Structure formats: structure tokens, C-alpha cells
């Protein structure tokens, strides 16, 4: 599916369109072979494996993909991207899901203002992504 087609159902699928636009990935190219998930070193800890996250996006269920712990369990190793025979970049999609979450924060992270208990409760990937994108 081309981006123009994707944008045509923007109203019903705002999150999906946002994910497609930010990641610049055509997740409709994915044919669900599952290689990304089979190769992913952290898929065992995900509630939804990488290829299933992509399937949700194909089906227009961006909200469910956003609620998954998969983006926060992903360590950004790019193994999935290397293995994909269709040129899809699941790692970038995971990064996009994290970015959309972080952009919804009311205020930038200030690490010095966070108490230790709160920091320890956050996924490591949230801290790394926030440090790169939404800190001052
Ligand atoms: S980048 Fe993330 S989703 Fe892809 S293989 Fe690595 S941990 Fe898994
Ligand atoms: S490896 Fe590529 S084509 Fe196969 S399921 Fe993962 S994203 Fe889809």
C-alpha cells in the first residue's frame, strides 16, 4: 500500500498513519514470515512479537501495538532488520512507537529531578530513547 492510500483512511487510523509517517516504513510489505521474531533476542520477553506488532499495524490496530511492551523490551539491536527478506525495518517501527509515547509526555525528562524509585521502574529503553529525544 502506498502512503497516499494510507493517508486516505487517516481519520480512522491516526496512530497507524503517524507510525507509518515517522518510521517511513511500508509495513504492508511484510508477509508475516516471522523471521524478525525468530531472530529477535528479546522476543521471549515481549507480550507481542515483532512480526505481530507489524500485523497489528497492517490491520489498523495501532492502539494495541502502542500498548504492547514490545517497544520497551526491544534493545534496538537491528537483528530483525537484517533478517527481513522484504526490506521492512521492524527496529525502526519499535523506535517509532517509543518516540510517539515519549512525545506525549507533558514535560521533558529531567533526570536530576527523578527519584531513584521512579527511574528504576522505567524500562531502560525508555531512558535511552528519552535521553536522545526529549531531554533538555
Ligand atoms: S531491534 Fe528490537 S525487535 Fe529487532 S531484533 Fe533487536 S530487540 Fe528484537
Ligand atoms: S522478517 Fe520482515 S517480512 Fe518477515 S515477518 Fe518480519 S517484518 Fe515481516
Amino acid at each position: 500500500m502506498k502512503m497516499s492510500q494510507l493517508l486516505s483512511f487517516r481519520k480512522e487510523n491516526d496512530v497507524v498513519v503517524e507510525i507509518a509517517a515517522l518510521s517511513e516504513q511500508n509495513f504492508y510489505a511484510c508477509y508475516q514470515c516471522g523471521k524478525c521474531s525468530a531472530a529477535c533476542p528479546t522476543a521471549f520477553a515481549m507480550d507481542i512479537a515483532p512480526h505481530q506488532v507489524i500485523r497489528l499495524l497492517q490491520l489498523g490496530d495501532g492502539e494495541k501495538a502502542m500498548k504492547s511492551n514490545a517497544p520497551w523490551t526491544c534493545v534496538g539491536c537491528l537483528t530483525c532488520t537484517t533478517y527481513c527478506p522484504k526490506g521492512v525495518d521492524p527496529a525502526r517501527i519499535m523506535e517509532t512507537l517509543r518516540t510517539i509515547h515519549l512525545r506525549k509526555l507533558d514535560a521533558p525528562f529531567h533526570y536530576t529531578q527523578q527519584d531513584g524509585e521512579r527511574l528504576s521502574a522505567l524500562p531502560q529503553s525508555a531512558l535511552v530513547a528519552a535521553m536522545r529525544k526529549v531531554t533538555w
Side-chain angles (χ1 to χ4, degrees):
M1 181 177 284
K2 292 180 179 172
M3 189 63 76
S4 57
Q5 291 173 286
L6 193 58
L7 291 172
S8 69
F9 58 84
R10 178 177 185 125
K11 281 187 181 160
E12 296 90 327
N13 296 282
D14 263 352
V15 176
V16 173
V17 173
E18 189 177 3
I19 294 166
L22 269 180
S23 69
E24 298 181 317
Q25 293 304 298
N26 177 13
F27 32 73
Y28 295 100
C30 165
Y31 59 1
Q32 291 290 292
C33 68
K35 286 187 178 180
C36 50
S37 298
C40 174
T42 60
F44 72 91
M46 295 177 180
D47 54 356
I48 301 173
H51 76 287
Q52 294 171 319
V53 170
I54 293 172
R55 184 62 181 151
L56 285 173
L57 299 180
Q58 290 175 336
L59 296 172
D61 199 345
E63 294 295 341
K64 193 167 181 180
M66 290 288 290
K67 286 177 185 162
S68 163
N69 76 0
W72 305 111
T73 308
C74 165
V75 293
C77 64
L78 304 179
T79 306
C80 51
T81 305
T82 305
Y83 273 75
C84 180
K86 294 290 287 180
V88 181
D89 189 342
R92 194 158 174 176
I93 291 171
M94 295 293 191
E95 175 72 2
T96 298
L97 294 174
R98 292 193 290 269
T99 299
I100 292 171
H101 272 291
L102 294 169
R103 283 182 176 179
K104 289 179 180 168
L105 293 175
D106 290 337
F109 271 37
H110 293 283
Y111 287 106
T112 54
Q113 294 174 11
Q114 311 296 321
D115 60 51
E117 192 176 331
R118 185 177 173 198
L119 278 177
S120 64
L122 290 172
Q124 283 186 341
S125 46
L127 294 174
V128 173
M131 192 156 52
R132 285 165 40 196
K133 294 197 171 71
V134 292
T135 50
W136 285 358

